[in-house]
Amino acid sequence: METSIAAIPNIKISLVEVYERCQARETTCKALEAQCNQRNAQTTLQFESDKTTSNAIVQRLSTIERSVQEMQQSIVGLKACVRENKKRMHDLSDSICSASQNVSQHSTSVLPHEEFVAMERRLVSLKGKISRILRKNIDVDLPEEQITTLYKKKLPILEQHTKEASGTIGKYSNQPGKNERIARSIYSTLAEADAWSDLLNGKYDDLKIIELDASDRLPEELTPFSPTGVQNVFEFLNDFNRTYKGRGTDQNKASKLWRSLLSNEVKIDTDQIKNNLGQLMDHLIENYGDIDTVTDAILRDIEGTPRPEETDYKRLFAYVKKLMNALKRLRDIPKNTQIVSEVWESSVLSAKFMKRLSSLLTPTDDSKFSDELRSKGLNSRKARGQGALDALIKTVNRSIDNAARLVDRDTSQSTKKERPRKTVHLVDEYDSDSSVETKAYVNNASVQPPVSTARKPCGLRGHTHEMGQCDDFLSITPVKRRQMTEDRLCWTCLGPRARCRVRQNTSEGSSCSNLSAVNKILLCKACTEYGKKNSKAYSPCNILMCSMKSHISDHPSLDKMLPSLIKLIPDLDPEKIKIQTASIQVNVVQQQSSAYKIVKERKLENTTGRKLNKAEPVTVDSSSGEIRKVSNEQITHETREASIFIMQVLKIGQTEALTMFDTGANIHLIQGKLGEDENLELISSKPTTLTVVGGGAIETEYGVFRFFLGPTPEGTFKEIIAQGIPSVTGHFSHADLSIVNNELVNRDIRFASEPLPERVGGKKAQLLLGIRDPSLHPTPLFQLPSGIGVYCSPFKDIFGSTICYGGPHYTFNPGADASTMVMFAQMVSQY
């Protein structure tokens, strides 16, 4: 029966469903057979161990025999279902074969006998390769390591084989001499491969596996654990698990934990179990998770802080905030640790421990604490129990509000008297490197800032000029900008801090009164979300002041922020500003399809304020500069299609690295993470600064890597010395090269037998080869009629091809992200 082409997708879906049912039932069969064997073994052992014929034993053996018979009947039924489903798979494969024969509406050319035989042999070979991969049963629980290995090593090979088989079987099915049995088996195998791939992809996605950074650099939210630190073991492990949840295997995590996050003292004790994550964590909890060690860690910071004079409101405020943080952590021990409530109560709520806590109070607060206890009918001399802890927290909370009020009063009085202010500027900032949520930074009272008449005065000490014209302020990193403007500048509106901060009715800090006047595009989204999530009253950071590297990906580009920045900062010089954004890491040149649209539609838009020149285009002699008149036949027009850069996908270690050849760069660049993941030689660990086209600067954060790439056609390997950098380029759109390859073969039939690249792009470039060694760059061969250039590279890509393309083609995505490019003018610090 003929099958329509439209039915093919549904038939393939049915094939996948039938295959999955077969897999499930075969697994059940195996499990039942195993149980049968186990029951039979039990029966045999029973007979051998006890020869008596008591009624109890006979009854038990009869029960086992009946159970075995029932299982055997179930196995027979399941095997019948499997046979039925496999028959259905063959029938569906026949339907696909039938439908495939109707794909071509025109007569198909018959291949020469030698080519037909070679095609058939290739199909049989591909089927064997695919079947060998599919032997691995993934319809069971597999360890993370096996899923990762299958996904990274086997799945790409399987996809390559199935893609080739799918293309070949279509041609084979249209040949008059085809073998129906071979065609059916290929279609059946491809259906099994699709189902296997979908199942593996699902398992890998469920794991949410992300490779661990192999370097010793720590995430900003983690602090190494030490028995003498201010973070207890449960807080440390909670931070570790939250940071590395779903990232890498347990062995990866254990290695990261032991190598980078434990003090030397702990490393010595755990050297024998450093590769076992479970044993490492158990050891830490067993040795440092008792109630005394945990409470000592929580109180270590506050007990090491000198108790301030009660008249020093600034220091008093910082002190009581720190004390409150410690009390909250003590209160939440049963919720955040494995310490049971009974143990916590016997320790933290004991009279001895309460005396230890009350000794941290100022004399005034100690007196108020006693009054609070008596008002609740509790013993003020031997305070104990939950009521005493609640009274202590209430007393310290009131002390925070009182200290904050006194600080604001002094600040207000100092402002009214118009004298140099001895202000305290309260900065409530979450610090992920510390268990303390908030800090109070106190300005040195002896430092008196000069008076400034600027509209937006610079926040650096001793600077009275406009912020927008300050080279020092604009060119430093956000981290240094925060350090140098602490207590002086509002990190939200960038105005003088004393003028804009407004106290809230809570103990959670202050906010900016000018918040509504700051465009939301200038406020860090991640900081904003953190404040809302944790009910913090402080204002979010301006992007110019945000130093959190984990927030960079959410920051908009400088181009998008510039109009709002100019409104916020008068006289701003955009060329001087330095911001941590994802796009500021590279200097980009983007294709703009709108320019071609203007040419096509002959529309002129004036967005620059300059006078538009509506004259006809001129023809210029490049040697003499003479304006010439030529005929239309002598004119060749530029293509209007999107273009790609000359790139290849090269294999570096286990990484398929998108490699870009850039004659505009005088050095080689490599993504630092790639260099570390593949353990490339690091010949200099010192980061440097790169100056890019336009005058900006980039801090590389990585050192210099070296490796040898090849072989070239001459059999040599080229030395590559590349500067490590967090991000080499922006994202390139995926480009399918199948149509371009067909054009190449039509242009020159000799390429039909050569391997050709199947794709390029689809990710950021991880390696950029500059003009330092011109022999590394592809040489041009010719240009195809569609406009794209064909080049020959000295390196073979992952497809085994030295051919690469560059230029325009109608199949390429015209999106702006398809042309992100880096061009470095010079290196400031030579390596």
Side-chain angles (χ1 to χ4, degrees):
M1 182 182 70
E2 294 291 329
T3 305
S4 66
I5 304 304
I8 290 179
N10 294 330
I11 293 174
K12 287 186 175 180
I13 292 172
S14 299
L15 271 175
V16 173
E17 293 173 350
V18 173
Y19 172 77
E20 290 175 346
R21 286 200 293 271
C22 282
Q23 287 283 88
R25 284 168 177 166
E26 284 180 342
T27 302
T28 306
C29 281
K30 291 177 182 178
L32 287 173
E33 286 178 338
Q35 291 183 27
C36 282
N37 294 334
Q38 184 180 2
R39 293 293 175 88
N40 282 327
Q42 290 176 357
T43 304
T44 303
L45 288 173
Q46 186 66 43
F47 275 119
E48 290 177 353
S49 61
D50 195 340
K51 301 296 184 179
T52 64
T53 56
S54 66
N55 292 334
I57 293 177
V58 171
Q59 256 183 352
R60 184 178 178 189
L61 292 177
S62 299
T63 303
I64 293 175
E65 288 177 356
R66 283 197 302 273
S67 177
V68 169
Q69 290 173 358
E70 290 173 0
M71 288 183 180
Q72 289 174 340
Q73 290 175 359
S74 299
I75 291 171
V76 171
L78 284 170
K79 286 185 174 179
C81 290
V82 170
R83 286 194 298 271
E84 180 184 346
N85 285 331
K86 286 187 174 180
K87 182 178 180 302
R88 188 181 172 204
M89 287 178 67
H90 286 300
D91 293 341
L92 290 171
S93 297
D94 290 342
S95 299
I96 293 179
C97 284
S98 174
S100 298
Q101 293 174 7
N102 299 323
V103 171
S104 187
Q105 299 300 325
H106 53 80
S107 60
T108 304
S109 60
V110 179
L111 292 175
H113 179 71
E114 294 79 6
E115 292 186 24
F116 176 78
V117 171
M119 178 185 290
E120 191 172 76
R121 288 176 178 172
R122 181 58 180 164
L123 282 173
V124 173
S125 173
L126 288 171
K127 179 184 182 301
K129 292 178 179 179
I130 294 171
S131 299
R132 282 193 290 273
I133 296 176
L134 298 184
R135 288 174 188 169
K136 180 62 180 178
N137 183 18
I138 59 173
D139 195 23
V140 294
D141 290 332
L142 294 177
E144 289 183 5
E145 293 87 347
Q146 289 191 28
I147 294 177
T148 306
T149 301
L150 288 171
Y151 182 85
K152 291 188 173 182
K153 295 185 177 180
K154 295 297 183 183
L155 186 59
I157 298 173
L158 178 65
E159 290 175 345
Q160 185 177 354
H161 291 336
T162 54
K163 183 175 181 180
E164 182 181 352
S166 297
T168 307
I169 190 63
K171 299 176 184 177
Y172 179 81
S173 298
N174 291 325
Q175 297 299 314
K178 66 180 180 296
N179 186 316
E180 295 287 353
R181 183 183 60 80
I182 292 177
R184 282 197 303 270
S185 66
I186 292 295
Y187 280 116
S188 177
T189 302
L190 290 175
E192 293 180 22
D194 285 342
W196 193 90
S197 299
D198 291 342
L199 186 57
L200 179 60
N201 278 314
K203 286 180 175 289
Y204 187 80
D205 290 342
D206 290 342
L207 291 178
K208 297 179 180 177
I209 296 177
I210 305 171
E211 287 300 319
L212 280 178
D213 182 3
S215 71
D216 288 329
R217 294 182 296 119
L218 301 181
E220 295 186 10
E221 60 270 24
L222 279 182
T223 301
F225 175 75
S226 170
T228 58
V230 297
Q231 188 181 39
N232 67 64
V233 68
F234 295 104
E235 292 169 335
F236 166 75
L237 291 178
N238 287 338
D239 287 347
F240 177 82
N241 289 329
R242 183 174 59 253
T243 302
Y244 291 110
K245 182 179 180 181
R247 301 181 63 185
T249 65
D250 286 350
Q251 187 173 356
N252 295 147
K253 295 175 187 176
S255 175
K256 186 72 175 180
L257 174 61
W258 189 88
R259 186 182 70 247
S260 306
L261 293 169
L262 299 180
S263 66
N264 290 333
E265 175 187 348
V266 182
K267 281 185 179 181
I268 293 173
D269 293 338
T270 57
D271 183 68
Q272 299 300 318
I273 56 174
K274 61 184 177 183
N275 293 319
N276 190 310
L277 182 64
Q279 291 183 16
L280 264 178
M281 290 186 169
D282 290 344
H283 176 90
L284 293 175
I285 292 173
E286 181 180 352
N287 288 273
Y288 309 108
D290 60 280
I291 186 64
D292 292 335
T293 304
V294 169
T295 53
D296 286 347
I298 293 174
L299 294 179
R300 186 169 287 119
D301 188 24
I302 186 65
E303 288 181 332
T305 303
R307 192 164 50 189
E309 295 293 333
E310 295 190 61
T311 55
D312 189 346
Y313 306 134
K314 308 167 191 177
R315 299 185 185 279
L316 178 63
F317 178 83
Y319 180 83
V320 291
K321 286 282 285 185
K322 186 181 291 187
L323 177 57
M324 173 58 76
N325 181 270
L327 293 176
K328 288 180 178 179
R329 291 164 65 198
L330 289 170
R331 180 194 61 191
D332 294 339
I333 283 177
K335 181 172 64 175
N336 298 330
T337 71
Q338 297 178 14
I339 297 174
V340 296
S341 298
E342 291 77 7
V343 174
W344 173 78
E345 290 172 1
S346 64
S347 175
V348 175
L349 301 184
S350 65
K352 181 179 179 181
F353 197 85
M354 280 296 166
K355 185 176 181 181
R356 179 181 178 184
L357 293 179
S358 62
S359 67
L360 300 172
L361 298 172
T362 63
T364 300
D365 287 341
D366 190 31
S367 176
K368 292 180 179 179
F369 175 51
S370 297
D371 293 341
E372 184 67 25
L373 289 171
R374 284 192 290 270
S375 69
K376 292 188 174 187
L378 300 174
N379 189 336
S380 59
R381 291 190 177 183
K382 291 188 176 181
R384 61 163 62 91
Q386 184 66 53
L389 180 61
D390 292 342
L392 182 60
I393 291 175
K394 186 175 182 180
T395 300
V396 176
N397 226 341
R398 288 175 177 173
S399 180
I400 292 172
D401 291 339
N402 187 53
R405 180 179 56 80
L406 293 172
V407 168
D408 285 346
R409 185 195 66 184
D410 278 6
T411 302
S412 176
Q413 291 176 352
S414 299
T415 304
K416 289 179 181 178
K417 293 180 181 180
E418 296 184 354
R419 66 173 184 231
R421 296 182 297 277
K422 300 180 181 180
T423 58
V424 57
H425 303 300
L426 308 175
V427 181
D428 286 330
E429 175 202 6
Y430 69 94
D431 183 354
S432 56
D433 287 336
S434 171
S435 56
V436 182
E437 290 184 0
T438 57
K439 294 182 179 181
Y441 295 106
V442 182
N443 191 15
N444 187 341
S446 64
V447 178
Q448 299 178 355
V451 178
S452 174
T453 58
R455 289 175 293 172
K456 182 72 72 172
C458 177
L460 303 183
R461 297 187 186 279
H463 290 211
T464 60
H465 48 241
E466 291 287 352
M467 177 185 295
Q469 293 298 310
C470 181
D471 293 350
D472 294 338
F473 179 84
L474 297 176
S475 62
I476 58 178
T477 63
V479 174
K480 294 179 181 177
R481 206 175 281 145
R482 288 164 71 104
Q483 293 172 349
M484 297 176 71
T485 61
E486 210 168 84
D487 310 325
R488 302 171 58 80
L489 199 66
C490 171
W491 291 350
T492 301
C493 70
L494 306 183
R497 191 175 185 82
R499 299 180 190 174
C500 71
R501 306 312 283 184
V502 176
R503 289 294 311 170
Q504 303 297 316
N505 295 326
T506 69
S507 61
E508 298 295 338
S510 56
S511 63
C512 175
S513 60
N514 299 325
L515 177 60
S516 59
V518 182
N519 193 309
K520 289 184 179 179
I521 196 174
L522 300 180
L523 301 177
C524 176
K525 290 183 180 179
C527 291
T528 304
E529 291 171 0
Y530 176 86
K532 291 179 180 178
K533 180 179 179 181
N534 295 275
S535 302
K536 302 297 183 182
Y538 52 72
S539 305
C541 264
N542 192 295
I543 288 179
L544 269 70
M545 310 304 295
C546 178
S547 61
M548 299 292 289
K549 292 183 180 179
S550 56
H551 295 181
I552 293 176
S553 59
D554 293 329
H555 291 176
S557 64
L558 180 58
D559 290 342
K560 292 182 179 180
M561 293 189 292
L562 199 54
S564 300
L565 277 174
I566 292 174
K567 289 182 181 179
L568 182 67
I569 307 175
D571 303 323
L572 175 66
D573 185 349
E575 294 185 358
K576 298 178 180 178
I577 197 164
K578 187 169 189 176
I579 305 174
Q580 284 198 142
T581 68
S583 60
I584 201 67
Q585 296 178 26
V586 295
N587 190 48
V588 299
V589 179
Q590 293 182 328
Q591 294 173 335
Q592 297 294 336
S593 58
S594 58
Y596 300 133
K597 185 177 179 182
I598 290 172
V599 173
K600 284 182 178 180
E601 301 179 0
R602 300 292 297 169
K603 291 182 180 179
L604 297 175
E605 298 182 60
N606 189 352
T607 58
T608 63
R610 297 186 179 91
K611 185 178 180 180
L612 294 175
N613 182 2
K614 299 183 180 181
E616 290 298 319
V618 297
T619 306
V620 183
D621 187 310
S622 63
S623 177
S624 64
E626 177 188 357
I627 306 298
R628 300 175 54 182
K629 289 185 178 181
V630 298
S631 63
N632 290 335
E633 290 76 13
Q634 294 177 272
I635 299 293
T636 59
H637 291 278
E638 183 179 302
T639 180
R640 306 296 188 253
E641 308 299 345
S643 301
I644 61 169
F645 293 108
I646 304 174
M647 295 182 290
Q648 282 184 292
V649 183
L650 305 180
K651 196 72 174 287
I652 300 178
Q654 298 301 314
T655 303
E656 293 184 357
L658 182 62
T659 303
M660 177 179 170
F661 300 94
D662 182 13
T663 57
N666 64 358
I667 60 171
H668 309 315
L669 297 174
I670 189 171
Q671 185 187 49
K673 187 177 184 302
L674 168 63
E676 292 181 341
D677 288 348
E678 300 302 341
N679 198 27
L680 301 183
E681 180 186 7
L682 188 66
I683 61 175
S684 172
S685 60
K686 179 184 178 183
T688 187
T689 302
L690 302 176
T691 299
V692 301
V693 171
I698 295 175
E699 293 181 359
T700 63
E701 300 183 21
Y702 292 89
V704 181
F705 296 91
R706 183 176 76 154
F707 62 103
F708 297 89
L709 190 62
T712 64
E714 295 78 23
T716 61
F717 287 77
K718 297 286 188 178
E719 182 183 38
I720 308 292
I721 298 177
Q723 173 64 54
I725 192 170
S727 182
V728 177
T729 70
H731 184 275
F732 289 94
S733 295
H734 174 81
D736 187 333
L737 301 177
S738 56
I739 295 179
V740 181
N741 290 336
N742 290 336
E743 288 185 23
L744 175 61
V745 173
N746 291 334
R747 163 71 164 73
D748 191 334
I749 194 62
R750 289 176 297 177
F751 288 100
S753 59
E754 294 292 330
L756 297 174
E758 298 176 5
R759 56 178 168 79
V760 76
K763 61 196 306 189
K764 295 181 178 181
Q766 294 165 284
L767 176 64
L768 182 145
L769 298 179
I771 200 63
R772 168 170 289 186
D773 184 355
S775 68
L776 299 177
H777 285 243
T779 55
L781 299 179
F782 47 80
Q783 186 175 9
L784 294 176
S786 60
I788 193 167
V790 182
Y791 300 81
C792 181
S793 171
F795 308 111
K796 283 187 178 181
D797 60 18
I798 61 171
F799 309 104
S801 175
T802 59
I803 295 297
C804 50
Y805 302 101
H809 196 270
Y810 66 90
T811 60
F812 296 154
N813 184 356
D817 67 336
S819 61
T820 309
M821 176 179 177
V822 182
M823 293 195 303
F824 288 92
Q826 63 177 0
M827 278 194 69
V828 175
S829 300
Q830 300 296 331
Y831 48 82

